[in-house]
Amino acid sequence: MGTTPDGRIIPPAHADERAMLEAWLDFHRATLALKCAGLEDGPLRRAAASPSSMTLLGLLQHMAEVERNWFQRVFAGLAVAPVFGEDNPDGFALRPERGLDEVRAAWEAEVARGRELIATASLDDSGRLSERDAGVVGDRAVSLRWIMMHMIEEYARHNGHADLLRERVDGVTGV
């Protein structure tokens, strides 16, 4: 496999379904990490696309929570608390004492735990949604395939936000 000029591994052009899903999810994870790299604390906390209050640090926290939700709560059925506290269930709220190192470590731990939980699972294995989420999806059970596709979509959407935020913070652009 090749790499982008910034070092991210390019997903294979030909692979089985599982390898393709994992590669694209990892590519998008690496993209978010790249968008947050090389910045001091202040710019990571800057809501740079008014009127939105979204920040790069908040996006990274949010994705830690998204990883926990879909792989631990939904797929594995674990009752785990929000990563950054009960008062911050979506992860977007920032705390002055929590900087990039702590947030990135939490996010990386959630990514690692998700990989561990799905390592031997079939794409056809299912997790269970809450009643509220099942009302949106139309079914209480969702396959690991569905979850991985959703995670790719979630990262891709938020990476678009991260592109705009990073460009507004310091002018850095890229794919």
Side-chain angles (χ1 to χ4, degrees):
M1 282 186 267
T3 59
T4 60
D6 52 46
R8 291 171 295 150
I9 298 172
I10 298 170
H14 303 279
D16 66 33
E17 182 181 20
R18 177 68 178 250
M20 191 71 72
L21 289 170
E22 288 175 350
W24 275 106
L25 183 51
D26 284 342
F27 180 83
H28 282 290
R29 287 168 170 153
T31 300
L32 182 59
L34 179 69
K35 293 297 172 183
C36 295
L39 290 174
E40 298 294 324
D41 192 61
L44 285 166
R45 295 172 180 277
R46 186 174 309 139
S50 182
S52 174
S53 62
M54 189 178 294
T55 67
L56 287 166
L57 191 61
L59 275 175
L60 194 58
Q61 287 185 168
H62 174 66
M63 290 312 296
E65 184 57 49
V66 169
E67 291 271 354
R68 177 171 283 193
N69 183 61
W70 286 101
F71 293 119
Q72 291 189 55
R73 290 187 194 108
V74 173
F75 186 71
L78 302 174
V80 291
V83 180
F84 298 105
E86 294 291 339
D87 61 337
N88 191 14
D90 65 5
F92 281 112
L94 302 180
R95 293 227 168 102
E97 70 278 5
R98 187 183 306 123
L100 180 60
D101 291 343
E102 181 182 344
V103 170
R104 184 157 180 165
W107 173 69
E108 288 173 350
E110 294 305 318
V111 168
R113 182 68 172 130
R115 285 183 178 131
E116 177 186 315
L117 290 169
I118 68 169
T120 60
S122 163
L123 292 175
D124 294 322
D125 290 345
S126 291
R128 289 188 53 81
L129 295 171
S130 67
E131 283 188 45
R132 181 183 63 89
D133 290 341
V136 173
V137 173
D139 197 330
R140 195 82 200 256
V142 289
S143 69
L144 178 56
R145 176 183 293 102
W146 190 98
I147 292 169
M148 291 182 76
M149 288 296 301
H150 175 70
M151 289 296 293
I152 292 166
E153 174 273 330
E154 182 89 10
Y155 271 101
R157 179 165 32 98
H158 287 313
N159 283 340
H161 297 136
D163 281 337
L164 293 171
L165 290 168
R166 182 65 190 251
E167 185 174 8
R168 293 290 306 263
V169 164
D170 67 359
V172 170
T173 61
V175 293

